[in-house]
Amino acid sequence: MPQRGRESETRRVYEALDCACTGGSALMHVVGPRGMGKTRMLQEAAETARRRGFRLLRGETPAATPGDSVPTLVVVDEPFRPGSGLGREGPGPRPFSHTVWMTASPAGTPPRRADGIDVSPFLCTTRLVLGPLSRDAARELASDLLDARLDGPLLRLLEQVGGHPGLLIEFVRGLQEEGSVRTVSGVAELVTSRVSEQAGFYVRDTLAVSSGLCRQLLCLMAVLDDGCSPKTLGRLLGTSTAALIPVLEEAYATGLLHDQGGAPAFVSLLARCLVAETVPQVLRTALRRERAALAGPTAPRRPSTNWRAPSSMSGSACFCGWWPRG
């Protein structure tokens, strides 16, 4: 299945491999929030390099010896750190000729010089930043997963899932496994109005690996429809506005939030509703009352204009209210 929406990044991978083929050295960092396809990008690069006759190495191992002219790709699916090379020697990658180093950093921890990366000697250094997919790329990915064209109701539904690759994949696979779509004459049709459980599992897993304060922030924003000022959020969380900065950075790193016009917002209507669904109804009501007491009523922010809701889901409607679960 081809990567969708990553054409620019793929071209830069080809350029780095070309650099190694002509005797140069390249260092590539793949960064982005959780679920944006960093590991997939490394896998695709490794497969492309293999087809071109590259030697493939994994982990921080010596990539080559002087005079070695075999093109080599070294894949490290974690950040470089001082002393983490083979035998605990050396501060990380070295610019051997005919060699590409490629690493993916965990969400929220982009590579820095403090990680022991020696950048200047490399002929080619590239930072690939992966974000949400465009609407067209998201549709193409869903069509690839279903191996069919998408009918109108399914297309409208997927617009509410947004461009988060990990969430989209889990959502579509869940629809397949739960019998919520069927394929007729090459067209995937929506059968039942039910949110796939796999999408809910993905969101709950994402929350589970986040810090307690990050989970609280995401749940508050979901329950209160993003309609909280930083000051009110800080008071509800029992912390200062300044202390929200690292928490918000962690929330962005989950991939569930993104920047929308200079303010944090959920990447999609589905993401917000699935996070809100993890909060018991009695707590949702209590939180809304507490927010109203602290800051007064605040109009909920509309969903991102990139993913327009159909008329049946206008206003504050969302998946968890529009579709019954189970």
Side-chain angles (χ1 to χ4, degrees), residues 26-82:
L27 178 62
M28 305 194 74
H29 308 307
V30 185
V31 299
R34 184 176 190 261
M36 292 297 154
K38 299 185 295 296
T39 298
R40 174 69 188 279
M41 181 63 69
L42 295 186
Q43 292 171 342
E44 289 293 316
E47 179 58 26
T48 299
R50 185 192 63 78
R51 291 196 301 266
R52 294 181 60 173
F54 274 63
R55 172 173 50 203
L56 299 180
L57 300 176
R58 295 191 178 275
E60 292 186 52
T61 59
T65 57
D68 189 348
S69 61
V70 178
T72 301
L73 173 66
V74 186
V75 176
V76 185
D77 199 357
E78 59 185 17
F80 293 110
R81 300 196 181 280

Side-chain angles (χ1 to χ4, degrees), residues 13-237:
V13 171
Y14 291 161
E15 291 170 0
L17 297 178
D18 289 341
C19 179
C21 286
T22 56
S25 58
L27 178 62
M28 305 194 74
H29 308 307
V30 185
V31 299
R34 184 176 190 261
M36 292 297 154
K38 299 185 295 296
T39 298
R40 174 69 188 279
M41 181 63 69
L42 295 186
Q43 292 171 342
E44 289 293 316
E47 179 58 26
T48 299
R50 185 192 63 78
R51 291 196 301 266
R52 294 181 60 173
F54 274 63
R55 172 173 50 203
L56 299 180
L57 300 176
R58 295 191 178 275
E60 292 186 52
T61 59
T65 57
D68 189 348
S69 61
V70 178
T72 301
L73 173 66
V74 186
V75 176
V76 185
D77 199 357
E78 59 185 17
F80 293 110
R81 300 196 181 280
S84 60
L86 187 65
R88 300 294 178 183
E89 298 177 359
R94 283 290 167 267
F96 295 104
S97 65
H98 299 91
T99 303
V100 176
W101 291 85
M102 193 168 185
T103 178
S105 289
T109 57
R112 302 179 178 88
R113 282 188 178 275
D115 291 326
I117 296 175
D118 192 0
V119 172
S120 55
F122 288 88
L123 292 180
C124 175
T125 59
T126 305
R127 190 168 183 262
L128 304 181
V129 181
L130 304 184
L133 300 176
S134 67
R135 176 184 296 182
D136 288 343
R139 289 179 173 182
E140 290 171 352
L141 175 57
S143 182
D144 290 339
L145 291 168
L146 294 169
D147 193 24
R149 302 189 307 276
L150 312 180
D151 74 349
L154 188 51
L155 279 172
R156 289 192 293 274
L157 169 65
L158 290 174
E159 287 194 349
Q160 306 312 306
V161 180
H164 187 297
L167 183 57
L168 178 64
I169 289 170
E170 293 302 320
F171 184 80
V172 172
R173 286 176 175 168
L175 290 179
Q176 285 181 297
E177 293 180 6
E178 296 159 23
S180 295
V181 291
R182 67 183 176 194
T183 301
V184 179
S185 301
V187 177
E189 301 176 346
L190 192 63
V191 176
T192 60
S193 55
R194 180 173 62 240
V195 176
S196 71
E197 290 292 339
Q198 281 193 218
F201 293 151
Y202 179 89
V203 168
R204 289 193 289 274
D205 286 345
T206 300
L207 294 175
V209 298
S210 303
S211 69
L213 203 55
C214 179
R215 290 197 300 273
Q216 291 177 38
L217 175 71
L218 289 168
C219 288
L220 276 175
M221 291 185 63
V223 169
L224 303 178
D225 299 332
D226 301 345
C228 264
S229 68
K231 180 179 179 180
T232 302
L233 275 174
R235 294 179 68 180
L236 287 170
L237 291 170

